[in-house]
Amino acid sequence: MPAVEITTISIRGYGGRSVPNRLFRQAGAQRLALILPGLRYTCDMPLLFYTARLMIQRGAAVLQVHSDYTQAAYQSAPGSEQGRWLAEDTQAAYQAGLAADDFRELILIGKSIGTLALASLVAGGVEAPGIWLTPLLHQPRLVEAALQQKGPALFIGSSSDPTFDLAQMQRIQAAGKGEGLVIPGADHSLEIPGDVLASLEIMRQVVERILAFLNQLPTA
């Protein structure tokens, strides 16, 4: 693993609130990976942990967002306010991350609710490769954003996950807006409950597919 400095940066999101984060810097990094976690799936959990390690291995800087949207203030807010909150936090993280160094390239990585955050950037005109992990394809605004994206995209989900809509993913792919990997039988964490070895095999498949996707991107 390259020599990496781990720090934090100042991010002010919705209502001026501080957005918790962790920035992995390394010398000469020209690409920033912005990682947007799930509701209860943090950046330290397997899918996002290993994706971050792949990005660092490939010489990128990584900005992890550590917002906690399980907090009462967010959960009790109306849906429209939750959407603004998530979008404003994400926009603030995007801007602060790019301002943290002289980055020439960006890659967006989201998990679950983090794919809604990713979608808000795409809908706002951000053009960058995207990795959509367990995307909430039952949400029309996410699907519409995915259909607008201009950068390469990879969608990974499970046919057994109730938040994953295979027909919508096929619609996105048919429009030439991304490629996909569908894992049969896995839950929303892309694991097989009660079967650690099967879950590890899924993780290997996911990491290999993400690596193949990254290998297709131009070198930053």
Side-chain angles (χ1 to χ4, degrees):
M1 187 69 66
V4 176
E5 174 193 7
I6 305 175
T7 185
T8 62
I9 59 176
S10 176
I11 303 175
R12 292 291 170 183
Y14 181 75
R17 294 172 174 85
S18 177
V19 177
N21 66 89
R22 190 184 301 150
L23 176 63
F24 295 76
R25 298 178 185 266
Q26 53 182 323
Q30 297 183 38
R31 173 174 281 145
L32 175 69
L34 176 60
I35 298 187
L36 306 162
L39 186 64
R40 294 179 179 84
Y41 198 98
T42 73
C43 292
D44 294 323
M45 297 178 79
L47 289 170
L48 298 179
F49 176 87
Y50 286 110
T51 302
R53 288 301 181 269
L54 283 179
M55 296 306 309
I56 291 170
Q57 179 179 294
R58 294 174 60 84
V62 173
L63 176 59
Q64 298 175 334
V65 174
H66 286 265
S67 295
D68 179 13
Y69 295 115
T70 66
Q71 59 183 289
Y74 182 87
Q75 289 294 319
S76 62
S80 58
E81 184 180 354
Q82 289 183 350
R84 290 195 303 274
W85 191 325
L86 182 66
E88 289 184 23
D89 281 359
T90 306
Q91 180 68 24
Y94 159 72
Q95 292 178 343
L98 289 183
D101 212 326
D102 186 23
F103 298 117
R104 296 170 49 191
E105 301 286 345
L106 174 71
I107 184 165
L108 305 173
I109 300 161
K111 163 74 173 84
S112 189
I113 193 177
T115 61
L116 283 179
L118 194 166
S120 73
L121 291 176
V122 172
V126 174
E127 298 182 16
I131 298 175
W132 307 62
L133 300 170
T134 63
L136 304 182
L137 291 172
H138 64 301
Q139 297 269 2
R141 57 181 167 145
L142 185 145
V143 174
E144 290 310 308
L147 289 168
Q148 294 174 29
Q149 66 190 335
K150 295 184 171 62
L154 172 64
F155 297 82
I156 301 179
S158 172
S159 54
S160 300
D161 179 357
T163 71
F164 186 79
D165 188 324
L166 180 60
Q168 293 293 2
M169 192 185 83
Q170 291 172 335
R171 177 186 170 201
I172 292 165
Q173 288 181 280
K177 298 297 184 177
E179 51 194 84
L181 172 65
V182 180
I183 305 291
D187 63 14
H188 191 55
S189 295
L190 295 184
E191 297 178 3
I192 304 296
D195 194 332
V196 173
L197 293 181
S199 298
L200 288 173
E201 175 58 24
I202 289 172
M203 186 59 54
R204 184 190 65 80
Q205 292 179 49
V206 169
V207 170
E208 287 183 347
R209 189 65 189 83
I210 291 173
L211 181 58
F213 175 75
L214 295 175
N215 285 338
Q216 297 172 19
L217 301 179
T219 303

